[in-house]
C-alpha cells in the first residue's frame, strides 16, 4: 500500500481518487482536515475499503511512526501543506510549522521506517515530495522557463517554506540515502479546488454576482496544469523516477491572469447567462499582492523525455470541464465554504 499525506485537499484528493480508479493498491490517507481539507472530496470512496482515512497531523511523530509500522507502505506521497500564498502573507507561522517542521518530522519518521526495511522492500521504497515551481522565483518576459537546474529564489513566505522543505528532502537523500523524489509543479486547476484560488474564486464569485478581484494590472503570468494531468505525472515519477532527482511538471500553458478571468466569464456567459449582462462586467482591479511574482513558466522536457509523460488536456478543454464541474457542484461549494472562509474573504477583499 501507499501512504498519502494531505489527501483530503485539492490535489491529494484527486490523486487518491485517480489512484484507486486505476489500481487496487490500498491508500492510507493522513490529513489534519484544516480549512482546506474536506472529506466531501473523498465521498466517492466512503464504502471503499481500499481507502483508509486517518485524521492527524504530519507534525505528530508518534502517530507517523505508528502508521508506518502498522501499515508498512511501499511509498509515501507527501502533499500535505499550507498552500495559499495570500494566507502566507497574512500569517506565515502555520506555513513554517506544516511545510518545514511537518516535512522534517515526516522525513525523520520515513528514515527510521526505511532503515528498518530489508531487501526488496528497502530497495524499492520511495518518498515522493510534491512541491511547487514557486521555489524558483519570478521570471522576466524573455527568460527561459524553469528547468530543474534553476537556482532557488523564493519570494513569498509560502514559497520560502516550500523551498526549505525541498532542501530538507534533498539533504535526507544525500546524507542518509533516503530514496526521495521531488516534483515541482505549476498552477493546478480542476475539480475540488478550494475557492480561495484564482480559478474557483472567479467562478464562484461570478456566479454570486460579486466583484472579481484582479491583482495589479492582471498581467502576471502563470502556467496552468489540469489536476488529472498532474496526478498522471506523479504516478510516472513514482514508477520510474530516479531517487535523488527532481522533476518539473507543467502544462505548457502560460497565460496572463486577466485572460484566465475573461475565459471564465465567457464560459459562464455561455453556460449560465446572467440577465444583468456579461460576467466580465464584474472584473475589478484591486491592489497588488505584496511581492507578487510576475511570471512562472515550466520547462517540462525532462519528465517527458525520461518518463514519457505529457499533459493531455489543453487549457481550453480543461477550463471548460472545470467550469462545468463547479456549475454542477454548487452543493460542494456551499459545504466547503465555512464561516471562517467568509471571514477570510472579508479580510482579503473587504466588504463588497
Ligand atoms: P490544499 O491546500 O488544497 O490541501 C492541503 C491539504 O493538506 C489539506 O487537506 C489539509 O487539511 C492538509 N494539511 C495541511 N496541514 C496539514 C498538517 N499539518 N498535517 C496533515 N495534513 C495537513 O493544497 P493543494 O493545492 O492540494 O496542494 C497540495 C500540494 O501540492 C502542496 O504541497 C502544494 O504546495 C503543492 N502544489 C500545489 C499546487 C497548486 O496549484 N495547488 C501547485 C504546485 C504544487
Ligand atoms: O505555481 C504553483 C502554485 O500555484 C502553488 O504552489 C500554490 O499552492 C498555488 O496556490 C498557486 O499559487 P498562486 O499564487 O500562483 O495561485 P493563486 O490562485 O493564489 O493566484 C494565481 C494568480 O492570480 C496570481 O498571479 C495571483 C492572481 N490572483 C489571485 C487571487 C486569489 C488575483 O489576481 N486575484 C485573486 O483574488
Amino acid at each position: 500500500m501507499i501512504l498519502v499525506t494531505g489527501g483530503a485537499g485539492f490535489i491529494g484528493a484527486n490523486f487518491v481518487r485517480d489512484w484507486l480508479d486505476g489500481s487496487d493498491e490500498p491508500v492510507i490517507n493522513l490529513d489534519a482536515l484544516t480549512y482546506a481539507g474536506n472529506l466531501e472530496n473523498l465521498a466517492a470512496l466512503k464504502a471503499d475499503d481500499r481507502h483508509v482515512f486517518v485524521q492527524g497531523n504530519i507534525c505528530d511523530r508518534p502517530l507517523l511512526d505508528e502508521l508506518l509500522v502498522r501499515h508498512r507502505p511501499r511509498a509515501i506521497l507527501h502533499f500535505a501543506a499550507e498552500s495559499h500564498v495570500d494566507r502566507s502573507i497574512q500569517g506565515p507561522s502555520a506555513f513554517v510549522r506544516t511545510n518545514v517542521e511537518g516535512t522534517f518530522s515526516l522525513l525523520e519518521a520515513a528514515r527510521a521506517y526505511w532503515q528498518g526495511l530489508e531487501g526488496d522492500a528497502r530497495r524499492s521504497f520511495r518518498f515522493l515530495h510534491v512541491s511547487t515551481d514557486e521555489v524558483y522565483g519570478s521570471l522576466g518576459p524573455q527568460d527561459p522557463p524553469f528547468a530543474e537546474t534553476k537556482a532557488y529564489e523564493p519570494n513569498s513566505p509560502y514559497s520560502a517554506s516550500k523551498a526549505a522543505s525541498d532542501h530538507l528532502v534533498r539533504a535526507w537523500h544525500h546524507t542518509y540515502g533516503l530514496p526521495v523524489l521531488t516534483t515541482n509543479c505549476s498552477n493546478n486547476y480542476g475539480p475540488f479546488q478550494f475557492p480561495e484560488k484564482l480559478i474557483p474564486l472567479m467562478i464562484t464569485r461570478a456566479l454570486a454576482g460579486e466583484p472579481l478581484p484582479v491583482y495589479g494590472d492582471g498581467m502576471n503570468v502563470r502556467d496552468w496544469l489540469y489536476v488529472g494531468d498532474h496526478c498522471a505525472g506523479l504516478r510516472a515519477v513514482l514508477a520510474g523516477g530516479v531517487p535523488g532527482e527532481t522533476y518539473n511538471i507543467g502544462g505548457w500553458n502560460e497565460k496572463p491572469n486577466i485572460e484566465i478571468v475573461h475565459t471564465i466569464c465567457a464560459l459562464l456567459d455561455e453556460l449560465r447567462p446572467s440577465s444583468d449582462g456579461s460576467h466580465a462586467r464584474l472584473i475589478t482591479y484591486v491592489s497588488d499582492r505584496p511581492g507578487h511574482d510576475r511570471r512562472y513558466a515550466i520547462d517540462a522536457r525532462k519528465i517527458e523525455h525520461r518518463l514519457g509523460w505529457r499533459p493531455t488536456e489543453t487549457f481550453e478543454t480543461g477550463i471548460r470541464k472545470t467550469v462545468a464541474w463547479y456549475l454542477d457542484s454548487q452543493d460542494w461549494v456551499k459545504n466547503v465554504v465555512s464561516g471562517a472562509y467568509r471571514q477570510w474573504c472579508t479580510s482579503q477583499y473587504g466588504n463588497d
Side-chain angles (χ1 to χ4, degrees):
M1 63 170 59
I2 59 169
L3 171 69
V4 164
T5 72
F10 162 49
I11 303 174
N14 275 282
F15 181 85
V16 170
R17 294 166 65 113
D18 280 11
W19 179 269
L20 292 173
D21 271 350
S23 144
D24 275 335
E25 188 173 10
V27 178
I28 308 296
N29 185 350
L30 172 66
D31 194 298
L33 296 181
T34 67
Y35 79 93
N38 196 315
L39 285 178
E40 282 210 37
N41 301 354
L42 300 160
L45 302 175
K46 221 171 184 173
D48 192 330
D49 54 16
R50 298 170 305 165
H51 176 241
V52 179
F53 182 79
V54 179
Q55 182 170 2
N57 199 302
I58 55 167
C59 298
D60 182 347
R61 178 69 196 278
L63 173 66
L64 297 176
D65 290 340
E66 194 262 317
L67 287 176
L68 290 170
V69 168
R70 177 142 57 100
H71 296 290
R72 307 193 66 72
R74 69 165 176 99
I76 297 173
L77 287 99
H78 177 33
F79 295 87
E82 289 292 337
S83 69
H84 191 36
V85 173
D86 292 325
R87 286 185 192 253
S88 82
I89 295 167
Q90 282 204 18
S93 63
F95 287 73
V96 174
R97 208 172 314 118
T98 286
N99 300 358
V100 186
E101 292 171 24
T103 301
F104 165 72
S105 132
L106 190 63
L107 281 167
E108 279 294 79
R111 178 164 76 95
Y113 167 69
W114 170 72
Q115 282 173 339
L117 296 176
E118 287 176 358
D120 272 356
R122 186 179 164 105
R123 267 189 298 280
S124 62
F125 180 78
R126 297 288 182 268
F127 182 107
L128 195 163
H129 174 58
V130 180
S131 192
T132 170
D133 61 358
E134 300 203 10
V135 298
Y136 295 124
S138 184
L139 294 169
Q142 305 306 327
D143 289 337
F146 302 129
E148 287 81 356
T149 48
K150 164 81 176 64
Y152 275 31
E153 290 180 297
N155 291 318
S156 72
Y158 164 70
S159 56
S161 69
K162 290 296 287 187
S165 70
D166 292 10
H167 291 324
L168 291 175
V169 171
R170 175 189 161 89
W172 261 239
H173 176 70
H174 279 265
T175 304
Y176 304 113
L178 188 70
V180 305
L181 300 156
T182 296
T183 56
N184 295 90
C185 185
S186 57
N187 286 59
N188 283 221
Y189 68 102
F192 301 110
Q193 186 166 33
F194 194 78
E196 66 190 353
K197 305 282 166 63
L198 180 74
I199 287 179
L201 181 99
M202 294 299 168
I203 299 171
T204 52
R205 288 179 74 97
L207 286 173
E210 291 168 351
L212 307 180
V214 174
Y215 296 160
D217 63 1
M219 291 306 290
N220 297 66
V221 171
R222 297 291 182 265
D223 167 56
W224 293 94
L225 177 68
Y226 191 70
V227 66
D229 279 328
H230 185 193
C231 295
L234 293 172
R235 290 196 299 274
V237 173
L238 180 65
V242 176
E245 297 222 356
T246 69
Y247 297 86
N248 285 352
I249 308 183
W252 302 107
N253 269 315
E254 276 186 65
K255 301 213 180 285
N257 294 334
I258 189 65
E259 191 180 321
I260 302 282
V261 178
H262 275 295
T263 302
I264 291 168
C265 290
L267 280 166
L268 289 174
D269 291 346
E270 175 195 328
L271 300 170
R272 190 64 59 87
S274 157
S275 53
D276 296 329
S278 171
H279 292 90
R281 74 187 187 284
L282 299 167
I283 292 174
T284 310
Y285 288 89
V286 300
S287 307
D288 210 352
R289 171 186 280 175
H292 196 177
D293 285 338
R294 191 66 174 166
R295 173 178 166 239
Y296 304 141
I298 282 268
D299 178 344
R301 283 176 298 177
K302 177 175 173 181
I303 186 172
E304 180 175 350
H305 294 158
R306 307 252 180 106
L307 302 176
W309 173 88
R310 252 193 93 81
T312 58
E313 298 286 347
T314 63
F315 187 71
E316 290 63 36
T317 59
I319 192 71
R320 183 172 279 278
K321 277 189 192 176
T322 303
V323 170
W325 186 87
Y326 278 89
L327 285 173
D328 289 345
S329 309
Q330 287 299 292
D331 285 346
W332 177 89
V333 174
K334 262 188 223 116
N335 292 339
V336 299
V337 171
S338 65
Y341 176 67
R342 282 187 280 275
Q343 272 169 22
W344 159 256
C345 286
T346 307
S347 85
Q348 179 68 6
Y349 302 111
N351 285 313
D352 308 309

